[in-house]
Amino acid sequence: MGTVVSVRLGDSDADAAELVGTVFRRWDEQFSLYREDSELSRVARGDLRLTAASQSLRDCYALALNWRECTQGVFTPHRADGVIDLSGVVKALAIAEAGAALTACGQANWSINAGGDVLVSADAGHPEWVVAIVDPGNRGDVIAKVPLGHPLRAVATSGSAERGEHIWTALNGEPSPFRQVSVFAGDIVTADVLATAIVAGGEATLNEMTERFTIDVLAVLRDGQLLATPGLRRAE
Protein backbone atom coordinates (compact mmCIF):
# COMPACT_ATOMS: atom_id res chain seq x y z
CA MET A 1 0.00 0.00 0.00
CA GLY A 2 3.03 2.24 -0.20
CA THR A 3 3.08 2.94 3.53
CA VAL A 4 4.44 1.62 6.81
CA VAL A 5 2.21 -0.43 9.10
CA SER A 6 3.10 -0.68 12.79
CA VAL A 7 1.45 -2.79 15.48
CA ARG A 8 1.67 -2.35 19.24
CA LEU A 9 0.39 -5.12 21.47
CA GLY A 10 -0.37 -5.19 25.18
CA ASP A 11 1.00 -8.74 25.23
CA SER A 12 3.92 -9.36 22.89
CA ASP A 13 3.01 -12.06 20.36
CA ALA A 14 5.01 -12.60 17.18
CA ASP A 15 2.24 -14.72 15.67
CA ALA A 16 -0.31 -11.94 16.22
CA ALA A 17 1.96 -9.39 14.55
CA GLU A 18 2.51 -11.72 11.59
CA LEU A 19 -1.26 -12.15 11.32
CA VAL A 20 -1.59 -8.39 10.78
CA GLY A 21 1.08 -8.53 8.08
CA THR A 22 -0.76 -11.33 6.31
CA VAL A 23 -3.99 -9.31 6.26
CA PHE A 24 -2.32 -6.25 4.76
CA ARG A 25 -0.42 -8.25 2.14
CA ARG A 26 -3.64 -9.87 0.93
CA TRP A 27 -5.41 -6.53 0.57
CA ASP A 28 -2.40 -5.04 -1.22
CA GLU A 29 -2.13 -7.96 -3.63
CA GLN A 30 -5.77 -7.59 -4.62
CA PHE A 31 -6.31 -3.83 -4.68
CA SER A 32 -3.02 -1.99 -5.26
CA LEU A 33 -2.94 -0.02 -8.50
CA TYR A 34 0.86 -0.04 -8.20
CA ARG A 35 0.89 -3.81 -8.79
CA GLU A 36 0.26 -4.80 -12.39
CA ASP A 37 -0.96 -8.23 -11.30
CA SER A 38 -3.57 -7.01 -8.78
CA GLU A 39 -7.22 -7.65 -9.53
CA LEU A 40 -8.02 -3.93 -9.43
CA SER A 41 -5.22 -3.17 -11.91
CA ARG A 42 -6.70 -5.75 -14.28
CA VAL A 43 -10.06 -3.96 -14.00
CA ALA A 44 -8.37 -0.59 -14.58
CA ARG A 45 -6.68 -1.85 -17.77
CA GLY A 46 -9.89 -3.40 -19.06
CA ASP A 47 -8.52 -6.92 -18.82
CA LEU A 48 -11.28 -7.83 -16.37
CA ARG A 49 -14.82 -6.52 -16.43
CA LEU A 50 -16.08 -5.18 -13.12
CA THR A 51 -19.11 -7.46 -13.35
CA ALA A 52 -16.74 -10.44 -13.58
CA ALA A 53 -14.54 -9.35 -10.68
CA SER A 54 -14.52 -11.07 -7.31
CA GLN A 55 -17.34 -10.49 -4.83
CA SER A 56 -14.91 -8.83 -2.42
CA LEU A 57 -13.84 -6.27 -5.03
CA ARG A 58 -17.43 -5.53 -5.99
CA ASP A 59 -18.35 -5.18 -2.31
CA CYS A 60 -15.55 -2.63 -1.82
CA TYR A 61 -16.72 -0.72 -4.86
CA ALA A 62 -20.31 -0.71 -3.55
CA LEU A 63 -19.08 0.57 -0.18
CA ALA A 64 -17.17 3.39 -1.87
CA LEU A 65 -20.24 4.30 -3.93
CA ASN A 66 -22.31 4.40 -0.76
CA TRP A 67 -19.83 6.85 0.78
CA ARG A 68 -19.98 8.92 -2.41
CA GLU A 69 -23.72 9.22 -1.86
CA CYS A 70 -23.31 9.99 1.85
CA THR A 71 -20.90 12.83 1.05
CA GLN A 72 -22.95 14.13 -1.90
CA GLY A 73 -20.23 13.17 -4.35
CA VAL A 74 -17.33 14.81 -2.53
CA PHE A 75 -15.74 11.42 -1.82
CA THR A 76 -15.46 9.33 -4.97
CA PRO A 77 -13.93 6.00 -6.00
CA HIS A 78 -13.24 7.31 -9.51
CA ARG A 79 -10.13 9.16 -10.63
CA ALA A 80 -10.41 12.03 -13.07
CA ASP A 81 -9.51 9.63 -15.91
CA GLY A 82 -12.38 7.33 -14.92
CA VAL A 83 -10.22 4.60 -13.38
CA ILE A 84 -11.72 2.96 -10.30
CA ASP A 85 -9.44 3.71 -7.35
CA LEU A 86 -10.50 2.11 -4.07
CA SER A 87 -7.57 3.34 -2.00
CA GLY A 88 -9.99 5.62 -0.12
CA VAL A 89 -11.57 2.61 1.59
CA VAL A 90 -9.14 -0.29 1.14
CA LYS A 91 -6.50 0.74 3.68
CA ALA A 92 -9.18 1.37 6.31
CA LEU A 93 -10.84 -1.98 5.59
CA ALA A 94 -7.48 -3.71 5.95
CA ILE A 95 -6.90 -1.97 9.30
CA ALA A 96 -10.36 -2.98 10.49
CA GLU A 97 -9.89 -6.62 9.47
CA ALA A 98 -6.45 -6.77 11.08
CA GLY A 99 -7.89 -5.37 14.31
CA ALA A 100 -10.71 -7.92 14.30
CA ALA A 101 -8.14 -10.68 13.77
CA LEU A 102 -6.10 -9.50 16.75
CA THR A 103 -9.18 -9.48 18.96
CA ALA A 104 -10.20 -12.94 17.73
CA CYS A 105 -6.81 -14.38 18.67
CA GLY A 106 -7.12 -13.08 22.23
CA GLN A 107 -5.37 -9.71 22.08
CA ALA A 108 -7.35 -7.18 24.15
CA ASN A 109 -4.95 -4.21 24.00
CA TRP A 110 -3.54 -3.22 20.63
CA SER A 111 -3.02 -0.37 18.22
CA ILE A 112 -2.54 -0.49 14.46
CA ASN A 113 -0.99 2.48 12.66
CA ALA A 114 -1.01 2.41 8.86
CA GLY A 115 0.54 5.55 7.45
CA GLY A 116 -0.84 7.69 10.28
CA ASP A 117 -4.31 6.14 10.30
CA VAL A 118 -4.78 4.53 13.71
CA LEU A 119 -7.22 2.05 15.24
CA VAL A 120 -6.97 0.94 18.87
CA SER A 121 -8.53 -1.47 21.33
CA ALA A 122 -8.13 -1.51 25.09
CA ASP A 123 -9.78 -3.27 28.02
CA ALA A 124 -10.86 -1.53 31.21
CA GLY A 125 -7.55 -2.10 32.97
CA HIS A 126 -5.39 -0.61 30.20
CA PRO A 127 -4.44 3.08 30.02
CA GLU A 128 -5.92 5.00 27.11
CA TRP A 129 -3.94 5.02 23.91
CA VAL A 130 -2.78 8.53 23.00
CA VAL A 131 -2.16 9.64 19.43
CA ALA A 132 -0.02 12.61 18.42
CA ILE A 133 -1.11 14.79 15.51
CA VAL A 134 1.90 16.27 13.77
CA ASP A 135 2.22 19.83 12.53
CA PRO A 136 1.89 19.85 8.70
CA GLY A 137 4.19 22.86 8.60
CA ASN A 138 6.92 21.15 10.61
CA ARG A 139 6.73 17.37 10.73
CA GLY A 140 8.98 17.34 13.78
CA ASP A 141 6.41 19.17 15.92
CA VAL A 142 3.15 17.96 17.44
CA ILE A 143 0.04 20.16 17.48
CA ALA A 144 -2.12 17.89 19.67
CA LYS A 145 -2.11 14.71 21.71
CA VAL A 146 -5.51 13.06 21.83
CA PRO A 147 -6.61 9.97 23.80
CA LEU A 148 -8.32 7.20 21.85
CA GLY A 149 -10.71 4.74 23.42
CA HIS A 150 -14.46 4.51 23.80
CA PRO A 151 -16.39 5.63 21.80
CA LEU A 152 -13.83 7.13 19.39
CA ARG A 153 -11.35 4.32 18.64
CA ALA A 154 -9.97 5.54 15.32
CA VAL A 155 -8.27 8.52 13.74
CA ALA A 156 -7.33 9.20 10.13
CA THR A 157 -5.45 12.17 8.73
CA SER A 158 -5.58 13.51 5.20
CA GLY A 159 -4.11 16.53 3.46
CA SER A 160 -1.35 17.91 1.29
CA ALA A 161 1.55 18.12 3.76
CA GLU A 162 3.25 14.85 2.85
CA ARG A 163 2.06 13.98 -0.66
CA GLY A 164 1.27 17.40 -2.08
CA GLU A 165 -2.03 18.28 -3.72
CA HIS A 166 -3.22 14.75 -4.51
CA ILE A 167 -6.88 14.99 -3.46
CA TRP A 168 -9.47 15.98 -6.06
CA THR A 169 -11.64 18.79 -4.68
CA ALA A 170 -15.23 19.80 -5.28
CA LEU A 171 -14.41 23.49 -4.92
CA ASN A 172 -14.61 24.67 -8.54
CA GLY A 173 -10.92 24.05 -9.09
CA GLU A 174 -9.83 25.92 -5.99
CA PRO A 175 -7.46 24.23 -3.52
CA SER A 176 -8.83 23.05 -0.22
CA PRO A 177 -8.77 25.61 2.60
CA PHE A 178 -7.35 22.84 4.76
CA ARG A 179 -3.76 21.76 4.72
CA GLN A 180 -4.51 18.83 7.00
CA VAL A 181 -7.62 17.24 8.49
CA SER A 182 -7.71 14.60 11.23
CA VAL A 183 -11.02 12.85 11.92
CA PHE A 184 -11.69 10.86 15.10
CA ALA A 185 -14.48 8.28 14.83
CA GLY A 186 -15.76 5.03 16.23
CA ASP A 187 -14.47 3.08 13.23
CA ILE A 188 -11.52 3.55 10.92
CA VAL A 189 -13.49 3.50 7.66
CA THR A 190 -15.62 6.46 8.73
CA ALA A 191 -12.54 8.32 9.95
CA ASP A 192 -10.59 7.70 6.74
CA VAL A 193 -13.38 8.51 4.31
CA LEU A 194 -14.49 11.68 6.11
CA ALA A 195 -10.93 12.99 6.50
CA THR A 196 -10.57 12.82 2.71
CA ALA A 197 -14.06 14.20 2.12
CA ILE A 198 -13.53 17.22 4.38
CA VAL A 199 -10.25 18.10 2.66
CA ALA A 200 -11.99 17.76 -0.70
CA GLY A 201 -15.17 19.61 0.22
CA GLY A 202 -13.85 22.36 2.48
CA GLU A 203 -15.71 24.02 5.34
CA ALA A 204 -19.19 23.25 4.01
CA THR A 205 -18.41 19.52 4.10
CA LEU A 206 -16.79 19.87 7.52
CA ASN A 207 -19.96 21.45 8.90
CA GLU A 208 -22.25 18.89 7.29
CA MET A 209 -20.24 15.82 8.30
CA THR A 210 -19.89 16.91 11.93
CA GLU A 211 -23.66 17.35 12.10
CA ARG A 212 -24.44 13.97 10.55
CA PHE A 213 -21.75 11.73 12.09
CA THR A 214 -20.43 11.14 15.60
CA ILE A 215 -16.93 12.43 14.95
CA ASP A 216 -14.42 14.96 16.19
CA VAL A 217 -12.24 16.92 13.80
CA LEU A 218 -8.95 18.77 14.07
CA ALA A 219 -8.27 20.79 10.92
CA VAL A 220 -5.26 22.91 10.00
CA LEU A 221 -6.04 25.85 7.71
CA ARG A 222 -3.65 27.04 5.01
CA ASP A 223 -2.45 29.86 7.25
CA GLY A 224 -1.71 27.45 10.11
CA GLN A 225 -4.77 28.23 12.22
CA LEU A 226 -6.48 25.29 13.92
CA LEU A 227 -10.16 24.37 13.89
CA ALA A 228 -11.27 21.86 16.53
CA THR A 229 -14.70 20.45 17.26
CA PRO A 230 -16.07 20.82 20.82
CA GLY A 231 -15.14 17.30 21.88
CA LEU A 232 -11.47 17.94 21.17
CA ARG A 233 -11.53 21.32 22.86
CA ARG A 234 -12.94 19.70 26.02
CA ALA A 235 -10.18 17.08 25.90
CA GLU A 236 -7.40 19.68 25.98
Side-chain angles (χ1 to χ4, degrees):
M1 296 183 183
T3 191
V4 175
V5 179
S6 62
V7 183
R8 297 181 65 185
L9 303 172
D11 299 313
S12 180
D13 185 337
D15 291 338
E18 178 57 30
L19 178 61
V20 171
T22 299
V23 169
F24 275 90
R25 282 192 292 272
R26 177 166 48 78
W27 281 87
D28 187 65
E29 289 169 359
Q30 183 177 9
F31 290 99
S32 175
L33 288 175
Y34 296 100
R35 299 175 62 108
E36 293 186 1
D37 59 342
S38 75
E39 184 180 17
L40 191 57
S41 287
R42 292 168 59 206
V43 172
R45 290 195 303 270
D47 297 342
L48 177 68
R49 294 179 60 129
L50 181 61
T51 53
S54 66
Q55 185 65 51
S56 58
L57 190 150
R58 287 181 284 126
D59 286 347
C60 285
Y61 183 53
L63 175 66
L65 291 178
N66 182 64
W67 276 110
R68 183 179 69 178
E69 182 177 352
C70 288
T71 61
Q72 299 183 355
V74 175
F75 176 88
T76 177
H78 300 110
R79 297 193 322 207
D81 58 5
V83 169
I84 296 173
D85 185 345
L86 299 177
S87 58
V89 294
V90 163
K91 182 172 70 170
L93 288 170
I95 295 171
E97 182 182 328
L102 287 176
T103 299
C105 73
Q107 290 286 338
N109 305 310
W110 49 261
S111 72
I112 301 172
N113 183 335
D117 296 344
V118 180
L119 179 67
V120 305
S121 177
D123 60 25
H126 189 275
E128 287 183 306
W129 294 97
V130 177
V131 295
I133 305 300
V134 299
D135 184 346
N138 183 350
R139 308 302 288 176
D141 289 341
V142 171
I143 58 175
K145 292 183 178 180
V146 182
L148 284 184
H150 182 76
L152 303 184
R153 299 177 50 221
V155 59
T157 298
S158 187
S160 60
E162 291 194 3
R163 295 174 55 193
E165 302 292 347
H166 66 287
I167 297 174
W168 175 86
T169 70
L171 303 171
N172 297 320
E174 296 295 320
S176 173
F178 301 123
R179 191 169 185 191
Q180 178 174 286
V181 171
S182 297
V183 173
F184 299 80
D187 70 278
I188 191 63
V189 175
T190 298
D192 203 5
V193 168
L194 294 186
T196 300
I198 291 169
V199 171
E203 292 193 43
T205 300
L206 168 64
N207 294 335
E208 181 181 356
M209 295 302 107
T210 52
E211 288 181 3
R212 292 176 52 196
F213 294 91
T214 303
I215 59 174
D216 274 317
V217 179
L218 178 63
V220 183
L221 292 164
R222 292 279 174 177
D223 62 4
Q225 293 186 72
L226 301 183
L227 294 180
T229 50
L232 292 181
R233 293 197 293 270
R234 287 194 298 268
E236 293 178 351

